[in-house]
Structure formats: C-alpha cells, structure tokens
C-alpha cells in the first residue's frame, strides 16, 4: 500500500487548486446568490482538460487516472461545489460511459467534443416516479425504421438546460422490465425535446437542474449507446464511477468547512483569548479532520480499485455514503464554531451546509448506498 501521490497527481491537484482559487472563487458568492451557470468557467475547464480527465487522448481526453480525477474534484469543489457537480456529471456519468460502451461513431461524433469540453453532457435517468426505484422507467423509445421515438419526462437533471448532449434512459421493451431499457444520446435542439424551468435549489445553486420533456422526439438509431436492453446496466455501471466523483465533491466541501473553521478559530477572541485555545473547539476541529481523512481513504480506495480494473461498486457506495455524511456534519460544526457569523451569508460556511446536503441525495441516496453495500455483503457470504 502506497499513500504517496505521484508527481503527475501532485501537479494535477495543484493546477486544480490554482484554477479554483484564481478563476472560480472570485465569482462563486455572486453566482450562488444569482443561481447563475458558470459557462465561462466550464469552457476554460474544458481547455485545461478538466472535463474529460479520464478519457484517453485518442478521444480528446486527458488520459489521467481516477485518483487524479478525485484530487481535482476535491480542489474544485472546495471552492465551488456547483462547478464540482457540473464537472463530475460530464466526466463520470457521460464521458466514462461513452468511452466504455459507445460505438466508434458515438466516440467520434459525441465523446471527442465532450471530453475536450467543447460540448457539455447531462445524464437523464430519474423520472417523477422513478427516483431511487430507477428500474421503473416510464419514458419510452419506440423503434420507427432508422429512428427511435422518445416520449416521457425526466426529473432533477444536472446540466439539463446547458447540456449539448443528454444521455437518456428509456424503455424499448416494456415486457422485459429493466432489461428492456436502452440509452440514447439526444442533442440539444432536437424537435420534441424540451426542458422545464431551472429548479430554485437550496444549494449548488449555480449548477442548473431541471426536468426534461420528450414529445415524439426522434433520435437516429445509431445514437443508441451499447446494445438495446443494456440501458439499465449502462446507468448502474456509470453511476458507480459517478459515486466516486460525488464522494470527492463532498470531501471538497468538508475540507472547506474545516479550513474556514481553523482560520476563524485562530482569529476570533472570547473570554480574553482566541477560541482555538478552547478544548471544545479543538475537539471539533480534530473530529472534522479525522472524518475527512477517513472519507478520503474510502474514496481513494474505490478510485484505486477502478484504476486497477477490479470491482469497485461496493467501495464507491461506501465512499459516497460516508463522505456525504461527514460533509454535512463538518458544515454543521463549522457553523457552530462560527456562532452567529456562521448563520449569515457574510461567511461562507452557511453555503457549505446548503451545498453538502445534496451529496446525500443525488447519484443514489444514502439509503440506496446502504442497500448496494448490504447486497454486496450478503452475496459474498
Ligand atoms: N452496479 C452495477 N450493476 C448494478 C448495481 C451497481 N451498483 N446496482 C444494481 N445493478 C444491476 C443489477 O446487477 C441488475 O442487473 P442484471 O439484471 O443485469 O443482473 C440490475 O441492476 C437491477 O438490479 P436489482 O435487481 O438489484 O434492482 P432493484 O430495483 O432491486 O435495485 C437499485 C436497483 C440498486 C435500487 C437501483 O435502482 C439504484 O441504484 N437506484 C438509485 C438510482 C440512482 O442512483 N439515481 C441517481 C440518478 S442520476 C443523478 O443523480 C445524476 C445527476 O444529475 C447528478
């Protein structure tokens, strides 16, 4: 076991940190207030290789490992978790699946611009009546000669408004239940494809989330990713990697909470001394640090397994479950340390609480992660 990062990994971490501090931080407070999508930032991230980090250079990506991706996700999310989720969806839910399962036509036409960050992707699995219970897809895709005709509604789609290409899971054969679900790429502007209003969210406000509508939306057959009937497997397999990304996002927010707390504790005076002298504060800081390190270990383990080509779905679920939990806990402790100042927008810690909460919900709720972990344990016995 080696806990040292390689020189390349250190370089990626540092360049993500520099980018986050210099390019993302200056506008993050205002974008959170205005719920404004960071289009210019996302474009620059594409130019720097952050939008297709694990895609091979042959398809326009940076050809890096999952550890590097986790490091970059932590640094970006530490400064702005909204930017973190935009990056995570494009990398893990869209590019990963297209490289692994897409045809050559799909890789040339869609993966290359997505990996280069010239285009943005979204992943549409959830529906009004199929959230955690994702096999119950109601959206349909009926074959019509060389096309499929999609009808239905998707919900809670990250990048839903801004995405150029959306991966849509739809039922091609109702009789086969989840084995009759297929995945399609739908281009922005396709007739019959629309979106709802931008959701007015508690946190990650600068990312866009919306519902999507499909009314007789015709998509060429060659836009089907992988084989007919493999759409649910596609979604589950890509979500495993997505969960590593969201664990990293949660860790980024937790680190931001700890950093802000250390800084504040060293500055704030009470009872004639800085509050960092009080054991009550010290214990909170050390608890936060231990939790963050434990979350990192779980996340790096899942990433290392993925890089080694070994099964990692249970470890990814563990990483997401724990990292999202401690992210909320660290944000709450940061507010407590800041007292009244933690409850107002003047300091950033109230945003950390708002941003961390969603990590316990999307890409599989904490309850779903526990189901995945328990099923893996029981199958092994
Ligand atoms: N990895 C790989 N395959 C998996 C899997 C995993 N983690 N979990 C389930 N599967 C596979 C099963 O092996 C099975 O495949 P086969 O039939 O080919 O053998 C298939 O999925 C169905 O599994 P189950 O029979 O166990 O079905 P179930 O209904 O009992 O449970 C579930 C399925 C695990 C609950 C699944 O529905 C699930 O993960 N739900 C959560 C969905 C989710 O994470 N949604 C996130 C939406 S995307 C999002 O948030 C993106 C965003 O915009 C930020």
């Amino acid at each position: 076991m080696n806990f040292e990062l390689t020189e390349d990994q250190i370089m990626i971490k540092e360049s993500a940190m520099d980018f986050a501090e210099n390019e993302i931080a200056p506008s993050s407070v205002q974008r959170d207030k205005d719920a404004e999508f960071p289009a210019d930032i996302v474009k620059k991230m594409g130019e720097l290789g952050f939008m297709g980090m694990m895609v091979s250079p042959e398809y326009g990506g940076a050809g890096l490992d999952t550890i590097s991706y986790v490091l970059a996700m932590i640094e970006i999310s530490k400064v702005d978790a909204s930017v973190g989720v935009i990056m995570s969806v494009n990398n893990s839910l869209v590019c990963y699946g297209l490289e692994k399962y897409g045809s050559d036509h799909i890789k040339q036409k869609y993966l290359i611009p997505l990996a280069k960050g010239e285009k943005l992707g979204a992943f549409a699995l959830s529906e009004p009546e199929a959230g955690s219970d994702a096999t119950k897809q109601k959206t349909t895709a009926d074959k019509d000669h060389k096309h499929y005709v999609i009808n239905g509604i998707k919900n809670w789609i990250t990048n839903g408004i801004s995405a150029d290409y959306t991966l849509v899971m739809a039922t091609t054969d109702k009789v086969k239940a989840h084995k009759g679900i297929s995945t399609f790429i739908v281009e922005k502007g396709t007739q019959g494809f629309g979106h709802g209003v931008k959701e007015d969210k508690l946190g990650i406000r600068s990312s866009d989330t919306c519902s999507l509508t499909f009314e007789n939306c015709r998509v060429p057959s060659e836009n089907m990713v992988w084989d007919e009937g493999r759409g649910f497997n596609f979604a589950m397999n890509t979500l495993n990697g997505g969960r590593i990304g969201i664990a990293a996002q949660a860790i980024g927010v937790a680190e931001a909470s700890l950093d802000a707390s250390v800084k504040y504790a060293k500055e704030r005076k009470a009872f004639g001394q800085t509050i960092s002298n009080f054991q009550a504060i010290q214990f909170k800081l050390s608890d936060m640090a231990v939790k963050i390190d434990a979350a990192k270990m779980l996340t790096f383990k899942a990433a290392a397994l993925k890089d080694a080509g070994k099964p990692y779905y249970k470890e990814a679920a563990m990483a997401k479950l724990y990292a999202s939990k401690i992210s909320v806990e660290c944000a709450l402790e940061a507010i407590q340390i800041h007292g009244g100042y933690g409850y107002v927008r003047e300091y950033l810690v109230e945003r950390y609480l708002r941003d961390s909460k969603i990590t316990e919900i999307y890409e599989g709720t904490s309850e779903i992660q526990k189901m995945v972990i328990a099923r893996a344990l029981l199958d092994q016995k």
Side-chain angles (χ1 to χ4, degrees), residues 126 132 134 158 178-179 232-233 236-237 240 243 363-364 375:
S126 300
S132 289
T158 304
H178 77 272
K179 288 183 191 291
F232 195 73
N233 297 108
M236 292 295 109
N237 294 349
N240 290 330
R243 289 166 186 169
E363 300 204 25
R375 285 179 184 186

Side-chain angles (χ1 to χ4, degrees), residues 218-278:
R218 290 173 71 81
V219 174
S221 302
E222 67 251 29
N223 280 23
M224 181 187 282
V225 187
W226 205 1
D227 299 326
E228 186 166 308
R230 300 310 297 270
F232 195 73
N233 297 108
F234 174 91
M236 292 295 109
N237 294 349
T238 50
L239 274 167
N240 290 330
R243 289 166 186 169
I244 297 176
I246 299 305
Q249 183 200 22
I251 291 166
V253 181
E255 282 197 342
S257 295
L258 177 58
D259 289 357
S261 300
V262 168
K263 184 167 179 285
Y264 185 79
K266 281 157 83 175
E267 287 165 5
R268 172 73 179 170
K269 288 207 172 99
F271 304 102
Q273 52 193 313
T274 56
I275 62 169
S276 59
N277 287 334
F278 298 129

Side-chain angles (χ1 to χ4, degrees), residues 85 88-89 93 122-126 130-136 155-159 178-179 204 208-209 229-230 232-240 243 246 313-314 317 320 358 361-365 368-369 371-372 375:
V85 73
S88 178
V89 166
L93 294 188
F123 177 90
L125 174 69
S126 300
S132 289
D133 192 4
T135 63
K136 303 295 180 301
N155 251 20
W156 315 125
I157 309 306
T158 304
N159 298 346
H178 77 272
K179 288 183 191 291
I204 53 158
D208 68 43
T209 308
R230 300 310 297 270
F232 195 73
N233 297 108
F234 174 91
M236 292 295 109
N237 294 349
T238 50
L239 274 167
N240 290 330
R243 289 166 186 169
I246 299 305
Y313 73 98
K314 181 186 75 182
K320 182 186 181 281
I358 189 62
I361 299 171
Y362 57 22
E363 300 204 25
T365 61
I368 289 292
Q369 307 310 326
M371 246 170 87
V372 170
R375 285 179 184 186

Side-chain angles (χ1 to χ4, degrees), residues 37-38 42 82 85-87 89-90 93-94 120-126 154-168 186-190 193-199 201 204-214 362:
F37 187 83
V42 172
S82 294
V85 73
I86 297 164
M87 170 179 164
V89 166
N90 200 71
L93 294 188
V94 179
L120 184 68
F123 177 90
L125 174 69
S126 300
K154 295 287 175 181
N155 251 20
W156 315 125
I157 309 306
T158 304
N159 298 346
I161 296 172
S162 304
D164 302 283
Y165 306 139
T166 300
L167 300 187
V168 181
V186 182
E187 292 187 26
K188 189 179 202 161
T190 305
F193 175 33
H195 65 76
V197 293
K198 183 171 178 164
E199 300 290 353
K201 295 174 298 197
I204 53 158
R205 289 177 52 76
S206 125
S207 72
D208 68 43
T209 308
C210 65
S211 60
L212 302 177
T213 52
F214 301 87
Y362 57 22

